[in-house]
Amino acid sequence: MTNSVFTLPAPYNEPVKNFAPGSPERTQLKAELERQMGETVEVPVVINGTAVHTGNVHNIVCPHDHGHVLGSFHKAGDDEINAAVEAAMAAKPAWEAMDWQERAAIFLKAADLIARKYTHKLNAATMLGQSKNAFQAEIDSTCELADFLRFNVKFMEEIYSVQPASDQGIWNRTEYRPLEGFVFALSPFNFTAIAGNLCTAPAMMGNTIVWKPASTAVLSGYFIMEIFREAGLPDGVINFIPGRGSRIGNILLGHRDLAGIHFTGSTGVFQNLWQKTGENIDNYKSYPRIVGETGGKDYIFVHPSANVDQVVTAAVRGAFEYQGQKCSACSRLYLPESLWPEVEDKLKAQIESIRMGPVTGFENFVNAVIDERAFDTIDGFISRAEQAEDAEVIIGGDRDKSRGYFIRPTVILAKDPGYETMAEEIFGPVLTLYVYADEALEETLDLLDNTSTYALTGAIFARDRGIVNTLMARLTHTAGNFYINDKPTGAVVGQQPFGGSRKSGTNDKAGSQLNLMRWTSPRTIKETFVPPEDYRYPFMGSDL
Ligand code: NAD
C-alpha cells in the first residue's frame, strides 16, 4: 500500500575509478583478478530462481590466453527453454501487481551493489572473460550498468507521471500496463552493461523476461543474475538461459506469448529474428514489440580546418579501444589531402607506442579479440587488404592466435572509397582511411552518406563554425549519435542516449524514456462522476 506520492532519488552517473599506480582500487582489482584466475566457476541455467545443471557444458576461457579455463556453463535444452517461459509467465501477475516504487527499489539496490560491493568482481569477470582492460571494464560493468539502472527507474517515474487532462465531472487516467506475455532479451558479448540493461529495462516496467546471454559473456552475465537476486528480485522475473541462439530463438519466436524482443547484436541476427517474427505473426496473442540495436560503420569526417592532434587522438581511441569491438568504434576516416602528411606521421607514432597484451598487464591499451571466429573474420579482412590493388595496409597488421587472439591495431589506406573495409562492419582493431581532395568536399560527403548501410555513430572535426553547421545538416541521417570535435564512442547514460538508424537498428535509444516506452501498453481510463440518465441531448428540445 502506498499512501504517499514518493519520489525516487535523483539519478547520477557513477564516477569512474582511475586505477592509477598506488590507488587502493588498483590493488583490490588485481587481487580479485588473481582470485578469479585461481578458481573455476560452474554457471547453471537459472529458471525461477533455481539453478539447473543440464550436463551439456561449454568452457569459459580467457580470450588473451585461451588455454586458461575460467569455468564452464550449462546450455539450456528444449525443456529448459520451455520451462523458462513458463516461469516468466507464472511470475508475471505478482510482479506487475507490485507497486512500481518497490520495483524501483530493487533496481536501485542492484545499482549500489554493482557500484560498491561487487565492482571488482564484475570488472574482473569482464576483463578476464571478455578481454577488457581495467578502464574499459570499469566504464562498462560498473559505471554504465549502474547508470542504466539508476536513470531508467527515474525515466519510469517520468513516464508514469504523464497523465491526460480531465474535464469537469470526469477523471481521465493513463495506466502504463506491462505487455501481455514475456519479453525475450538477447545480449551481445561486448558490453556487460548492455546485457544488464536488456533484461532489466522491460522488467522495470512490470514485464517478466527470458534472457539469453552471449556465449562469450556468460560469466559476467551470471554474476549480474546473482546480484539481482541479492537485490531482492523475485524468482522467475528474469530467467537466465545460456545456450545456442538459433535453438532458443526457434522455440521462443514461435511462442504464442512472445510480447517483445529486446536485442543488441549484429544486423544479420536481428534481421533473422524479425523475419521469424513475421512468419509467426498469426500465432501471437499480440504484436510483439521489436527493439534491436545492431551494427555500425562509424566514421570520423575531418575538415581542412581541424586540429590534427585532436583528430589523431580521437581516431586512435575511437578505433582501437576495446580492440574496436564497440558498435560505435570508428572504422572509417575521411581526411583532406592537405592534412594527410601530418596525420600520417602522428598516427604512426601514436599507434606504434600502443602496448598490447593480457588484461592483467595494466600497461596494455589493447588486449585480445573475443574468440577464434572473430579473429578469423578480422584476419580475412586484413589478408584481403594485403593482396588488394585498391587498398594498402599502412600500419600494423600483425596477428597471432597461438596463445590469445591478438591483432595489432591496423590501418588500411583505401584508394577506392567503396573498398570493403570502408563499407562493412569488421568489429576489430582495423581503421580504414580515405584521403579526399580538399576541393571535393561535397562529393566526399555524398560518399560518406552512401557508402555504408549503417547509421550508428559519426564524428566531425572542424574549427570553422559555419562548416560545423553545414556538416551537421548534410549528415543528418548518417548517425543516430553525432559528435562534434570528439570521438564517436563513449556514450554516457543520461547524457547521450544511444542508438542508430538505417540498418543500425530501431533507434529506441537505450537508457532513455524512448526505450522504456516500448515495454508498456497503456490503458486509458475515463471515469464519469455523475453519468447522464437520459439519452436526449438539449439540442433535441422543441423551439416552440
Ligand atoms: P551476435 O549478433 O552474434 O549475438 C547477439 C546475441 O544473439 C547473442 O546472445 C547470440 O548468442 C544471439 N544469437 C546469435 N545467433 C542467433 C540466432 N540465430 N537466433 C537467436 N539468437 C542468436 O552479436 P555479438 O557478436 O555478440 O555482438 C557484436 C555485434 O553487436 C556487433 O554487430 C555490434 O555492432 C553489435 N552491437 C550493437 C550495439 C548498439 O547499441 N547498436 C551495441 C553493442 C553491440
Side-chain angles (χ1 to χ4, degrees):
M1 195 200 301
T2 51
N3 290 319
S4 189
V5 180
F6 299 127
T7 51
L8 300 179
Y12 61 95
N13 291 113
E14 181 63 28
V16 181
K17 297 188 279 298
N18 69 26
F19 303 99
S23 62
E25 70 263 20
R26 186 179 176 106
T27 311
Q28 288 157 2
L29 178 59
K30 286 197 164 187
E32 178 62 16
L33 285 165
E34 277 296 313
R35 194 189 68 75
Q36 290 191 21
M37 284 192 301
E39 68 172 13
T40 49
V41 179
E42 189 179 358
V43 177
V45 173
V46 182
I47 300 170
N48 199 28
T50 303
V52 180
H53 298 92
T54 62
N56 180 10
V57 292
H58 187 86
N59 275 350
I60 301 168
V61 300
C62 293
H64 66 264
D65 180 5
H66 43 66
H68 186 112
V69 176
L70 296 165
S72 60
F73 69 88
H74 289 253
K75 294 190 198 174
D78 292 1
D79 289 348
E80 291 74 37
I81 299 166
N82 285 312
V85 176
E86 281 167 28
M89 295 304 290
K92 203 171 159 53
W95 180 240
E96 71 175 66
M98 185 184 282
D99 286 339
W100 62 268
Q101 296 94 334
E102 306 306 323
R103 296 204 305 265
I106 295 169
F107 296 109
L108 289 172
K109 178 168 178 173
D112 272 25
L113 288 171
I114 287 159
R116 307 198 199 304
K117 188 170 172 186
Y118 294 114
T119 174
H120 300 308
K121 183 174 181 177
L122 273 182
N123 284 351
T126 301
M127 290 172 74
L128 295 171
Q130 289 141 264
S131 206
K132 292 201 171 189
N133 64 36
F135 180 72
Q136 292 298 315
E138 164 76 1
I139 58 173
D140 169 14
S141 51
T142 291
C143 301
E144 187 170 324
L145 182 50
D147 290 355
F148 270 131
L149 296 169
R150 293 185 183 130
F151 277 88
N152 276 346
V153 293
K154 197 68 185 171
F155 296 138
M156 168 176 66
E157 181 183 49
E158 288 170 7
I159 290 171
Y160 288 173
S161 67
V162 175
Q163 293 295 325
S166 295
D167 213 341
Q168 288 183 12
I170 292 169
W171 184 19
N172 293 323
R173 285 178 277 172
T174 300
E175 182 185 37
Y176 293 90
R177 303 173 302 182
L179 308 180
E180 254 193 305
F182 70 93
V183 174
F184 180 19
L186 297 101
S187 53
F189 78 83
N190 67 335
F191 272 85
T192 303
I194 292 179
N197 180 52
L198 289 171
C199 56
T200 54
M204 233 169 249
M205 300 296 284
N207 297 284
T208 52
I209 317 296
V210 178
W211 169 26
K212 187 232 154 317
S215 297
T216 39
V218 168
L219 188 63
S220 57
Y222 178 55
F223 290 161
I224 297 177
M225 272 303 285
E226 289 188 312
I227 291 170
F228 293 155
R229 189 179 172 82
E230 185 170 335
L233 190 76
D235 292 343
V237 172
I238 297 176
N239 301 280
F240 177 76
I241 53 165
R244 198 177 175 77
S246 52
R247 183 173 193 170
I248 295 170
N250 279 342
I251 294 180
L252 297 190
L253 297 173
H255 203 289
R256 179 175 185 270
D257 291 313
L258 178 75
I261 299 172
H262 202 193
F263 175 83
T264 298
S266 57
T267 298
V269 171
F270 184 55
Q271 293 190 349
N272 185 266
L273 298 174
W274 195 308
Q275 271 161 357
K276 286 203 176 117
T277 311
E279 285 161 18
N280 283 311
I281 204 73
D282 287 338
N283 303 334
Y284 302 128
K285 189 169 181 181
S286 328
Y287 295 105
R289 301 281 169 90
I290 305 180
V291 174
E293 304 306 335
T294 65
K297 189 67 195 174
D298 313 297
Y299 63 84
I300 294 180
F301 183 87
V302 182
H303 183 261
S305 69
N307 174 313
V308 167
D309 292 318
Q310 293 169 2
V311 167
V312 170
T313 301
V316 169
R317 286 187 171 172
F320 304 125
E321 280 185 317
Y322 192 35
Q323 298 74 264
Q325 297 171 118
K326 298 188 183 189
C327 52
S328 55
C330 172
S331 64
R332 50 185 174 136
L333 178 60
Y334 294 86
L335 276 169
E337 217 167 21
S338 55
L339 298 185
W340 172 225
E342 193 186 346
V343 170
E344 184 175 19
D345 290 347
K346 291 185 166 166
L347 200 56
K348 278 190 173 149
Q350 284 206 16
I351 293 175
E352 275 160 15
S353 73
I354 289 176
R355 298 193 61 166
M356 179 173 77
V359 295
T360 43
F362 278 32
E363 67 284 0
N364 295 321
F365 180 76
V366 162
N367 311 110
V369 299
I370 192 70
D371 60 11
E372 185 165 25
R373 206 172 65 147
F375 180 96
D376 291 346
T377 303
I378 302 162
D379 174 60
F381 278 107
I382 299 174
S383 301
R384 289 193 294 282
E386 285 168 341
Q387 309 295 325
E389 288 190 352
D390 42 10
E392 186 189 346
V393 177
I394 58 168
I395 303 174
D398 296 340
R399 49 220 191 263
D400 178 2
K401 63 175 176 181
S402 52
R403 178 151 188 201
Y405 304 111
F406 287 107
I407 300 176
R408 289 271 332 158
T410 300
V411 178
I412 297 171
L413 175 66
K415 295 166 198 154
D416 167 9
Y419 182 68
E420 66 167 1
T421 60
M422 286 295 285
E424 289 175 34
E425 185 179 55
I426 301 171
F427 224 58
V430 181
L431 170 66
T432 306
L433 55 89
Y434 175 69
V435 179
Y436 68 89
D438 288 37
E439 57 281 7
L441 183 72
E442 283 300 317
E443 300 91 298
T444 312
L445 290 172
D446 285 340
L447 266 177
L448 188 163
D449 198 348
N450 297 319
T451 300
S452 153
T453 55
Y454 298 108
L456 188 50
T457 74
I460 55 165
F461 275 79
R463 229 177 265 150
D464 180 313
R465 192 73 214 179
I467 291 291
V468 168
N469 291 340
T470 307
L471 296 181
M472 196 157 51
R474 270 296 249 108
L475 299 173
T476 296
H477 293 288
T478 60
N481 281 60
F482 189 75
Y483 295 81
I484 301 168
N485 293 322
D486 203 341
K487 66 183 167 56
T489 58
V492 174
V493 176
Q495 298 193 38
Q496 298 98 23
F498 193 78
S501 53
R502 294 186 182 163
K503 291 292 188 284
S504 289
T506 53
N507 200 12
D508 288 291
K509 296 294 185 209
S512 80
Q513 275 194 17
L514 294 173
N515 178 283
L516 293 190
M517 281 287 204
R518 301 299 308 275
W519 311 118
T520 177
S521 177
R523 175 166 75 146
T524 302
I525 302 165
K526 176 189 176 191
E527 181 173 353
T528 302
F529 294 129
V530 185
E533 293 178 8
D534 185 339
Y535 82 94
R536 278 171 284 253
Y537 292 103
F539 80 89
M540 297 163 75
S542 166
D543 286 328
L544 299 177

